[in-house]
Amino acid sequence: MAVCEAGTGETGLTGETEGPSPRALQRLQESTPQGTAGLQLSPERGRLQLQVLLTPLAIAGRRLPQKRLLGRAGAPASKRLCLDSSPQEPAPGPPSTNGVDDLWDVDSDGSDGSEGAEDPVDGNSQLSAYERKRLKNLTENAKFFAALKLHETAAKLQQITTKSQSNITKRAKPKKAKDEMVRRRSMRLQRIDPSGVPMLEVPAQPEAEEYPQVPAGPLPMIPEDEVESSKLAENLLAMWMRISEGKANSSGKYTPDMKRYQDSLSRMVLSEENIKKVVKSRVSSMAIHPSESLLFVAAGDKFGQIGLWNVDCKSEEGAHVFVPHNFLVSCMHFSPFNPAHLLSLSDDTLRCGDVTRAVFDEICRGEDFSSFAFLEDTASTVIVGHWDGKVAVVDRRIPGTSPELSADIGFKRTRTVHVHPVNKQYFLAAGSVDVCIYDVRCLKPTGNKPVSRLKGHTKSVASAYFSPVTGNRVVTVCADDMLRVYDTTSLLLDAAVLSTVRHNNNTGRWLTRFQAVWDPKQEDCFVVGSMARPRQIEVFQDTGKLLHSFSNLDCLGSVCSINVVHPTKNILVGSNSSGRLHVFKE
């Protein structure tokens, strides 16, 4: 039997009392059951110290709790209750009846001996029952997750993910240029082809080998894809030269009888033989030869090509394509004085195709050219408009390729210029929302003021042209879906609006913008393309009345943005965005 002092970790009860007599102590020891408790008398400083030693008794099928019980806080060390936490084999014997088991039941955690026998934590007898239970649960959970082999599965998944990512090729991000000034250029200058046009006919963006840069200076009049002039091209040029020698009959142009004029329009029809693809891309300008013997038409497209078509020649060799420009051909005119000259304007140059010498001469070189018109009947001087709002005067008789005068008229953009048919010193300029009449004699580099204004436009103006005989009318096409006719009888006053026509001018970016042109044979009638279905070309009177619509369900299935009328014959030519020309004639 071991003796436990308070705080030593052994099980025992210790107390102090006044010393009884030795005889009383002997009777107390004799009455204590063997193996249950022991008494020991220790004299100390004249006092007797009673030590009660308790030994746990064995109980069948139950293990005593391994827990230390301490006395209340502040109790003397000699009066604390200490339970032995060290494992001891219980001594065999009958159950105790002296109340010791009742003490253990009060302080135990209620677990039986079988739960304590499966304790997986060895050497942790100092822990409480709750902590030992927690450690047991952690151990069982660890064994369960180990049985699932989660670590091996995660390793396999990571290996598969690493292999799949290694096969992916990441595109390197382009490095941003630092402090690099990029010049903004329009799609027209970059020669980027808009979508919607058949790819076989119009590449999205021509390669440099397919569209080489045209050099400056005179160019030989040789068709495209031909090293030297072929026999067929020579025949075409010879025909052009021959019909240019005769003079057109200008008498009897005007027909005052409107009924008779409408009848002539109804007799003009379109047939399959009068439809031909003359250029490869979208037609941006056209000109018709004034000859009455043969029908000869020129068309310019957005890539600088010029197609010449002898309509009366029914064979495939009736049309040939030339490339005198690098950019869109925005304006074309046969010279009224010498129809053997075909003047064409592109973004950077004004050229004259002289069939007598079989060469395209360079008249003027610059930037942002938009349109031109002849200032004289001899066609020796021209007025040229710029996309940046300026105008320039070019004299063809002066050597060199520089303009004679460049003037800022205050426009943001100059789309078209046109000269008065009678008073040649006045010209009409159409810009963003501005349409004004200027006197060429008063032009100066800056500070130019118009002599008359045509007001009322709310959006950009696509074109503005004087009437062909007197110039007393001006027709404009505006992006606000209106056609307007102005009275320009007095050139020194602001023009008044005579009539307005509601008209769909929303052609978008894939079609050339509409231009309303006067019929040279009729002072008060003009022709304009249409977005209506079935596709048609419309003829209006200056009063706003629709006189006639040219259409053909079998042959005309596209929008004809650019149209031109023969000066003396009942012939109308319309062009579409794929380079095809449609000829309506009697």
Side-chain angles (χ1 to χ4, degrees):
M1 181 179 300
V3 179
C4 176
E5 296 291 336
T8 60
E10 296 179 351
T11 304
L13 293 176
T14 304
E16 291 184 358
T17 183
E18 295 295 333
S21 63
R23 187 184 181 100
L25 289 176
Q26 183 178 1
R27 287 198 302 266
L28 181 60
Q29 286 180 347
E30 291 175 356
S31 63
T32 302
Q34 182 67 28
T36 302
L39 297 177
Q40 194 172 42
L41 183 61
S42 299
E44 182 180 355
R45 284 177 281 182
R47 293 183 180 181
L48 292 178
Q49 184 176 10
L50 177 64
Q51 295 181 351
V52 182
L53 304 180
L54 302 179
T55 301
L57 300 179
I59 302 175
R62 179 178 177 185
R63 180 183 175 183
L64 294 177
Q66 306 295 317
K67 186 172 183 181
R68 174 183 300 172
L69 295 179
L70 300 178
R72 66 179 183 274
S78 59
K79 293 186 179 181
R80 292 184 198 172
L81 176 63
C82 296
L83 300 182
D84 190 3
S85 61
S86 60
Q88 296 180 1
E89 283 293 330
S96 175
T97 59
N98 59 356
V100 177
D101 274 348
D102 296 338
L103 180 62
W104 284 100
D105 290 339
V106 172
D107 295 329
S108 66
D109 59 353
S111 61
D112 56 6
S114 61
E115 181 179 353
E118 295 178 359
D119 192 352
V121 183
D122 297 333
N124 292 315
S125 58
Q126 301 295 331
L127 300 177
S128 65
Y130 169 77
E131 293 174 341
R132 285 185 281 110
K133 183 67 174 178
R134 178 174 174 273
L135 290 178
K136 178 182 176 182
N137 292 339
L138 291 177
T139 304
E140 292 177 355
N141 292 340
K143 291 179 181 180
F144 173 74
F145 285 113
L148 296 179
K149 300 181 180 180
L150 295 180
H151 296 287
E152 297 178 4
T153 306
K156 291 181 180 180
L157 290 177
Q158 185 176 6
Q159 185 178 4
I160 295 173
T161 305
T162 306
K163 288 183 179 180
S164 60
Q165 290 180 354
S166 61
N167 296 331
I168 299 176
T169 303
K170 294 184 178 179
R171 183 177 60 181
K173 294 183 179 180
K175 296 182 178 179
K176 295 182 179 179
K178 296 182 179 179
D179 300 331
E180 181 180 355
M181 298 296 295
V182 180
R183 181 183 177 183
R184 296 181 60 184
R185 302 185 67 190
S186 63
M187 294 182 66
R188 174 179 58 84
L189 297 180
Q190 298 180 48
R191 300 176 66 181
I192 298 177
D193 182 51
S195 59
V197 183
M199 294 299 295
L200 296 178
E201 298 179 358
V202 184
Q205 188 172 0
E207 299 293 337
E209 295 79 11
E210 187 176 355
Y211 292 95
Q213 291 293 312
V214 176
L219 298 174
M221 197 173 287
I222 299 176
E224 186 188 23
D225 300 330
E226 295 184 17
V227 179
E228 56 185 11
S229 181
S230 64
K231 186 66 176 176
L232 297 175
E234 290 178 358
N235 294 337
L236 179 68
L237 298 180
M239 180 273 301
W240 179 7
M241 187 182 305
R242 184 176 66 256
I243 64 176
S244 299
E245 294 174 355
K247 297 294 183 180
N249 184 13
S250 59
S251 61
K253 288 183 179 180
Y254 180 63
T255 304
D257 188 356
M258 191 58 59
K259 179 62 176 176
R260 181 181 176 184
Y261 177 69
Q262 285 183 276
D263 292 341
S264 65
L265 294 177
S266 61
R267 293 193 299 268
M268 299 166 57
V269 295
L270 175 66
S271 59
E272 292 184 2
E273 61 182 4
N274 291 330
I275 301 175
K276 190 175 184 63
K277 185 176 178 61
V278 178
V279 289
K280 293 184 178 181
S281 183
R282 172 166 54 95
V283 177
S284 54
S285 60
M286 273 200 309
I288 189 169
H289 197 279
S291 172
E292 295 182 355
S293 58
L294 289 175
L295 181 57
F296 184 58
V297 183
D301 73 353
K302 64 175 297 183
F303 289 133
Q305 297 181 347
I306 293 179
L308 302 178
W309 180 26
N310 180 9
V311 182
D312 295 331
C313 181
K314 304 304 179 182
S315 63
E316 293 294 333
E317 293 78 13
H320 291 275
V321 178
F322 303 84
V323 189
H325 298 283
N326 287 316
F327 305 103
L328 177 144
V329 182
S330 57
C331 190
M332 297 177 64
H333 294 292
F334 283 97
S335 172
F337 181 75
N338 184 7
H341 292 172
L342 174 64
L343 278 74
S344 59
L345 183 72
S346 183
D347 183 78
D348 59 348
T349 182
L350 172 65
R351 290 186 179 273
C352 175
D354 187 355
V355 68
T356 60
R357 298 186 296 116
V359 66
F360 288 100
D361 281 329
E362 189 174 58
I363 299 176
C364 182
R365 175 165 287 275
E367 292 182 354
D368 295 334
F369 293 154
S370 60
S371 63
F372 76 96
F374 298 107
L375 285 172
E376 299 175 355
D377 291 334
T378 59
S380 58
T381 57
V382 295
I383 183 77
V384 180
H386 292 252
W387 288 109
D388 60 359
K390 298 179 181 179
V391 295
V393 178
V394 178
D395 193 339
R396 298 173 57 191
R397 298 165 296 185
I398 299 177
T401 59
S402 298
E404 181 183 2
L405 173 65
S406 180
D408 185 0
I409 59 175
F411 281 18
K412 293 181 179 180
R413 185 178 297 270
T414 304
R415 295 184 181 275
T416 60
V417 292
H418 195 230
V419 177
H420 196 278
V422 178
N423 301 312
K424 297 288 186 179
Q425 69 272 22
Y426 295 106
F427 70 93
L428 182 68
S432 296
V433 294
D434 304 306
V435 180
C436 300
I437 300 175
Y438 291 87
D439 189 341
V440 70
R441 300 169 300 180
C442 301
L443 287 180
K444 50 188 178 180
T446 58
N448 295 283
K449 295 182 178 181
V451 297
S452 178
R453 297 178 183 272
L454 285 68
K455 301 178 180 180
H457 304 95
T458 59
K459 293 186 179 180
S460 63
V461 180
S463 64
Y465 294 110
F466 284 110
S467 57
V469 180
T470 63
N472 293 336
R473 301 288 184 268
V474 169
V475 59
T476 64
V477 179
C478 186
D480 58 5
D481 290 342
M482 297 294 293
L483 305 177
R484 294 177 174 87
V485 179
Y486 290 84
D487 182 7
T488 54
T489 304
S490 176
L491 297 176
L492 301 180
L493 299 176
D494 289 349
V497 180
L498 288 180
S499 62
T500 58
V501 179
R502 189 72 182 176
H503 191 266
N504 183 6
N505 299 325
N506 186 16
T507 55
R509 61 179 299 185
W510 316 121
L511 301 175
T512 303
R513 297 187 67 176
F514 289 153
Q515 294 185 1
V517 296
W518 297 95
D519 186 346
K521 305 179 297 298
Q522 200 70 20
E523 169 70 11
D524 52 356
C525 297
F526 59 89
V527 180
V528 66
S530 175
M531 296 293 294
R533 292 182 181 274
R535 298 308 187 190
Q536 54 193 274
I537 302 173
E538 298 171 336
V539 181
F540 289 92
Q541 196 175 4
D542 59 358
T543 58
K545 179 183 178 181
L546 177 63
L547 298 178
H548 185 74
S549 296
F550 293 97
S551 62
N552 190 314
L553 295 177
D554 299 327
C555 301
L556 182 61
S558 57
V559 177
C560 293
S561 299
I562 304 298
N563 305 279
V564 63
V565 184
H566 196 277
T568 58
K569 301 177 67 176
N570 292 328
I571 296 176
L572 168 67
V573 183
S575 60
N576 64 8
S577 60
S578 64
R580 283 184 170 82
L581 272 58
H582 307 77
V583 180
F584 293 84
K585 64 178 184 177
E586 294 180 342

